[in-house]
Amino acid sequence: MKMKTIRTRSIHILVLAAVFFVSGLVFFITRMIADEPVSQVASVPGLTTTEPAQPIPALRGYPLPKTFTTFTYTKNVGDRVVSGTCADMYFVVLVFAQDVDYRVSPLDAKYNRAVACTGGKAEVSIPTDTLPLTEGERYYVIMADQGRTGTWYNPR
């Protein structure tokens, strides 16, 4: 008697699975036949491609990307050494592709490193051959200050 109950339940589960499968199949077929788009991304505010991306409010007043030092990446040239003065606990170096505005997309940095500021000066060796850089493409370097807490500031 126990076997009959398990067998009956198994049949019921298989029938339910078949019903769900067929109903899903019918739904998708009718959606394909109907000439309606399933989603309209262009109608969502802020996701249209006609509006230029706006800088993050905290970075809006920072210098334009074109004001920073640039370089063209060439393979097997070795590390790029960046040095400068610093006014806080850390000296920050960031590398961005020339077509990326760091004020809009700060997380798109190809390199982001903070080193201790000692005596108002610091130096960072950027291992360009290990970064996801494209040979022949231009990049810009940002140097900035950073305290014990918070984000970097005073980009130059």
Side-chain angles (χ1 to χ4, degrees), residues 84-91 117-121 144-147 153-154 156:
T85 59
C86 43
D88 211 329
M89 184 167 259
Y90 297 103
F91 177 71
C117 178
T118 308
K121 295 184 180 190
D145 296 308
Q146 185 172 339
Y153 64 95
N154 190 26
R156 52 196 178 280

Side-chain angles (χ1 to χ4, degrees), residues 74-138:
T74 306
K75 286 184 181 180
N76 303 321
V77 172
D79 293 356
R80 174 173 283 281
V81 177
V82 177
S83 60
T85 59
C86 43
D88 211 329
M89 184 167 259
Y90 297 103
F91 177 71
V92 178
V93 175
L94 302 114
V95 175
F96 288 90
Q98 189 172 16
D99 62 344
V100 173
D101 187 342
Y102 74 99
R103 300 166 311 148
V104 175
S105 303
L107 297 178
D108 286 343
K110 301 290 185 180
Y111 183 77
N112 182 352
R113 174 88 190 248
V115 297
C117 178
T118 308
K121 295 184 180 190
E123 184 176 282
V124 174
S125 181
I126 304 170
T128 54
D129 285 339
T130 63
L131 300 178
L133 305 181
T134 304
E135 190 166 16
E137 294 291 319
R138 294 197 56 78

